[in-house]
Amino acid sequence: MAYEFKLTRHVDFAETDMAGIMHFSNFFRFMEAAETAFFRSLGLSIYPRSPDTVGWPRVHADCDFKHPLRFEDLVEIHLLVREKGKKSLAYTFIFRKLNETPIREVARGSVVTACVTRDKVTGKMLAVPIPQSIAELIEAAPSSLLA
Amino acid sequence: MAYEFKLTRHVDFAETDMAGIMHFSNFFRFMEAAETAFFRSLGLSIYPRSPDTVGWPRVHADCDFKHPLRFEDLVEIHLLVREKGKKSLAYTFIFRKLNETPIREVARGSVVTACVTRDKVTGKMLAVPIPQSIAELIEAAPSSLLA
Amino acid sequence: MAYEFKLTRHVDFAETDMAGIMHFSNFFRFMEAAETAFFRSLGLSIYPRSPDTVGWPRVHADCDFKHPLRFEDLVEIHLLVREKGKKSLAYTFIFRKLNETPIREVARGSVVTACVTRDKVTGKMLAVPIPQSIAELIEAAPSSLLA
Amino acid sequence: MAYEFKLTRHVDFAETDMAGIMHFSNFFRFMEAAETAFFRSLGLSIYPRSPDTVGWPRVHADCDFKHPLRFEDLVEIHLLVREKGKKSLAYTFIFRKLNETPIREVARGSVVTACVTRDKVTGKMLAVPIPQSIAELIEAAPSSLLA
């Protein structure tokens, strides 16, 4: 079972703002990109094209910004599964800047997602238990990694 | 019948980049916002929630950038219907910076959209004639305005 | 002294995602747009062009998502000053969907910003006390509004 | 001398819109990401941190959209130097979807950038000849590749 994933990417020019740093909203997009890649690494998708399967809307997101990221910085987004609920997954994301020594944590965020299906009649999203085919692939990370 | 619309908005901080100006990709988002508001002003929507109605994917977009826009600049996006085809609409967009005298054109762009429905079986988009209820509300602008 | 501001805007097409709802990262952009408009309403700017003045980088942001927003929804972003520190301002943002009765809260977020100047030699950001010219215009909202 | 570069990336969830496809403005961001990576591959930067060096604002951008891209599609952005002027570089970008057989072109775009410095007094951007250290690394692609 998997409980972590590391995604590495450069900061794009379009992701900067006039303060010369990555716009804070993009930290949340990076978290989602890491979550997406984590699922993909398990042969899953956070938004499967088949209507029978589950989706993962966000119910909470937060981030603490410690040091800015700049254009062309190489960033590691370290996803850790913080909690595996019956109908939800919570993640912690640690951002590290790799192109500077010593490598340091520049931000730390968190996302809580709900496992949902869409009601076929009303189109509304309904929280449902995580399907076993997914639940058996993912587990919570050891608490020592989340400290 | 309508052939023009003016939308005014401020440049958001998140729309700037590290060069201190509005990122060029946002000119295209502003064009779409003006197109959306134009349709809304006619009681229409470019993306109706009913599956029976038509959508308007872009088949072409371009922009010439003459002067930069900056944070908090007040911008007028002047939409003009350049061409009304049987199955398409083409627009010209003139960007003017309103918070400086004399007011001047800072950019000019263009978008061509196709009128489509989705095939119920394959989900593919198919070009169709503009429905009469829409066609009777929109006409091409006088060519003098497009010079 | 001011402690609140309401910004109203439509959800743009470009702000939606394939789940048919506003992408969660845009809630954070909306918060910043409300903060920007709040400052503007006081004759201030969150990013003044003069190098002598202060900037407001984010040190924390969070959001709880209760109900989705969709394309063309009319949203009120209600900014409340939650805390006025010596060198920081903390805001609460209440999102309300105005185009549905009864009007309801769809999301609630929070941002903490630090008041900084840039060191002229190193370019580094340094937290500084909020200048009096700004501090005398802004106060914390009554706690009853933040419940 | 270099005249092409290929960048490959997945379509992020945040890059889709409610029509279920990549929002058209992101094709322009992908072009810039390819241009950025092209410069980086030559040991250059399109936005150097040193104030003495040149920047590359866009003066024109366009794109023709042939087939949609969807979430998790693997896209190749093939940059070709279309024209090397005295004070400008023009690029063609061919988008190919790699996760489908046969691989096909889904979009084709173009960007023209000007080589500029900033006037130290007024801050205005001034077009200048491409520095030799850059000019000697880049050449126009054979016209056969641009057909």
Side-chain angles (χ1 to χ4, degrees), chain B residues 94-147:
Chain B
I94 303 169
F95 293 80
R96 295 185 188 95
K97 186 172 164 177
L98 300 184
N99 55 318
E100 237 179 50
T101 311
I103 291 171
R104 61 175 172 176
E105 182 177 326
V106 294
R108 183 175 289 227
S110 147
V111 165
V112 182
T113 64
C115 183
V116 306
T117 50
R118 259 174 213 277
D119 184 278
K120 264 145 203 170
V121 179
T122 66
K124 287 216 173 166
M125 293 185 282
L126 303 167
V128 294
I130 302 176
Q132 208 196 319
S133 58
I134 298 176
E136 70 191 15
L137 296 173
I138 296 174
E139 66 182 331
S143 56
S144 59
L145 288 180
L146 294 159

Side-chain angles (χ1 to χ4, degrees), chain D residues 12-28:
Chain D
D12 277 344
F13 188 82
E15 290 163 344
T16 63
D17 62 34
M18 69 183 296
I21 62 181
M22 184 162 89
H23 191 260
F24 81 109
S25 64
N26 291 320
F27 284 87
F28 294 100

Side-chain angles (χ1 to χ4, degrees), chain B residues 19 23 32 60-61 63-65 118, chain D residues 19 23 32 59-61 63-64:
Chain B
H23 191 261
E32 190 179 67
H60 172 81
C63 196
D64 288 299
F65 309 101
R118 259 174 213 277
Chain D
H23 191 260
E32 190 179 67
V59 296
H60 172 82
C63 195
D64 288 299

